Amino acid sequence: MGTVAEELIALTNDTVMNSTIFSYIGQYVDLDYSIWLYRLLTPLMLTFVLPTLFVLLIYLSISFLYVYKLHSRFILQVYNDGDFDFWDVARTLVAVVWDAHGWIFHGYEVCGIENLPETGSALIIYYHGAIPIDMYYLVARVYLKRSRLIYTVGDRFLEMLPGWSCLARVMKVSPGTVQSCSNVLKEGNMLSIAPGGVYEAQFGDSNYELLWRRRVGFAKVAIESKAPIIPMFTENLREGFRSIGFAKRLFIRLYNAVRFPVRPVYGGFPVKFRTHLGKPIEYDPSLTPEQLQEKVAYAIEELINKNQRIPGSILHGLIDRFVAKRKNE
């Protein structure tokens, strides 16, 4: 009986103490308001935190590459005493990480992968989302399935990111000129370019309009190298990540002044991503760069109109995760 009484007394004391603590906190903090504010801001915080996680994944890849570089001798000994290229193991492991992320988070699929050549060059022209995460996924998938690395043209501002140079060197990402891109293709590689670039990424929306602003550099590359062009579009890309919808004119002015991404991106929604690769557009010496640009733009617009709900819907993009569709990989 004494033990029970002691436990009751202790429980009573704890209750009184907790009540006293909450009463003390309540003098300085409105607990009801705090709970309401927490519930209100949680969706907003998650919306902007998820893009940060995407950036974190990039830096995890960079960190892994630096670790691999520092411990390459040991790693190569583990893999048959260095019978293969220095960075092949690193690229494979990075590709596995990104492919797993795409499959788990977005149910990532590729339709029309047979349109990519088994050997030889090809220029992949794609629609640029708010974040080009689909290009990361495609590079990983093709590297794992075909053992071929897709070279990528990235904006110059990426060079200012700490650690980016290592990732860019290993995964073959560079700003590129018409001549350097042509050389990559002439050497028998695949290369990807988004003509809309950062402008399309920042100011495109769920209507999926191409914002190429008369850019014909990619067409000059294709004509110079005589490489076939593969049009590419990823379904629900703008539903995964979006740019904020207000003050668009102000952000356009800022972007034109600094040539740097200034419009905040939010999202990270686990919508269905399905990359569509169109039929190759073969080299035609009779086409001018402007005519070729129009032809490629039309091919990508056809992929968009055929495969994308316009305007895009985050809700429908989430539902697409559970709707079966024939794979073509």
Side-chain angles (χ1 to χ4, degrees), residues 116-148:
L116 296 178
E118 294 281 354
T119 59
S121 63
L123 178 58
I124 301 170
I125 302 299
Y126 64 99
Y127 173 84
H128 202 310
I131 294 179
I133 190 170
D134 59 326
M135 200 63 235
Y136 289 82
Y137 291 154
L138 181 69
V139 168
R141 184 66 57 86
V142 172
Y143 189 77
L144 294 175
K145 280 186 169 289
R146 296 283 186 86
S147 296
R148 298 196 67 190

Side-chain angles (χ1 to χ4, degrees), residues 143-198:
Y143 189 77
L144 294 175
K145 280 186 169 289
R146 296 283 186 86
S147 296
R148 298 196 67 190
L149 180 63
I150 299 175
Y151 288 55
T152 305
V153 173
D155 199 274
R156 294 186 182 278
F157 85 88
L158 294 171
E159 296 176 341
M160 295 184 283
L161 300 178
W164 177 261
S165 60
C166 182
L167 182 65
R169 184 171 66 254
V170 175
M171 303 307 291
K172 305 299 182 184
V173 182
S174 63
T177 62
V178 170
Q179 190 59 52
S180 65
C181 290
S182 298
N183 290 338
V184 168
L185 292 167
K186 287 177 180 179
E187 292 170 0
N189 299 297
M190 290 192 290
L191 175 71
S192 65
I193 299 177
V198 177

Side-chain angles (χ1 to χ4, degrees), residues 75-255:
I75 295 173
L76 290 176
Q77 281 181 351
V78 173
Y79 288 89
N80 296 325
D81 297 321
D83 288 339
F84 38 79
D85 183 78
F86 180 78
W87 288 113
D88 279 350
V89 179
R91 290 191 190 100
T92 300
L93 294 178
V94 169
V96 167
V97 171
W98 279 98
D99 193 60
H101 183 275
W103 178 71
I104 294 170
F105 207 73
H106 292 288
Y108 183 67
E109 296 179 24
V110 180
C111 297
I113 198 170
E114 71 277 1
N115 292 323
L116 296 178
E118 294 281 354
T119 59
S121 63
L123 178 58
I124 301 170
I125 302 299
Y126 64 99
Y127 173 84
H128 202 310
I131 294 179
I133 190 170
D134 59 326
M135 200 63 235
Y136 289 82
Y137 291 154
L138 181 69
V139 168
R141 184 66 57 86
V142 172
Y143 189 77
L144 294 175
K145 280 186 169 289
R146 296 283 186 86
S147 296
R148 298 196 67 190
L149 180 63
I150 299 175
Y151 288 55
T152 305
V153 173
D155 199 274
R156 294 186 182 278
F157 85 88
L158 294 171
E159 296 176 341
M160 295 184 283
L161 300 178
W164 177 261
S165 60
C166 182
L167 182 65
R169 184 171 66 254
V170 175
M171 303 307 291
K172 305 299 182 184
V173 182
S174 63
T177 62
V178 170
Q179 190 59 52
S180 65
C181 290
S182 298
N183 290 338
V184 168
L185 292 167
K186 287 177 180 179
E187 292 170 0
N189 299 297
M190 290 192 290
L191 175 71
S192 65
I193 299 177
V198 177
Y199 185 85
E200 187 171 74
Q202 289 268 279
F203 305 110
D205 54 32
S206 57
N207 289 315
Y208 291 91
E209 296 177 357
L210 301 184
L211 304 178
W212 290 5
R213 302 194 301 173
R214 298 182 181 179
R215 291 186 175 180
V216 295
F218 78 90
K220 294 178 180 179
V221 169
I223 292 172
E224 171 70 19
S225 63
K226 300 181 180 179
I229 293 176
I230 310 294
M232 168 184 157
F233 170 73
T234 298
E235 199 174 333
N236 295 321
L237 185 58
R238 284 280 171 185
E239 280 55 73
F241 294 90
R242 288 184 172 180
S243 301
I244 60 174
F246 59 86
K248 183 176 181 179
R249 291 183 180 179
L250 173 62
F251 285 118
I252 289 177
R253 289 180 180 179
L254 285 174
Y255 172 78

Side-chain angles (χ1 to χ4, degrees), residues 61-76 86-87 90 165-166 169-170:
S61 299
I62 292 171
S63 300
F64 164 74
L65 291 174
Y66 274 112
V67 170
Y68 177 78
K69 182 178 180 180
L70 291 173
H71 300 283
S72 60
R73 286 188 180 180
F74 172 76
I75 295 173
L76 290 176
F86 180 78
W87 288 113
S165 60
C166 182
R169 184 171 66 254
V170 175

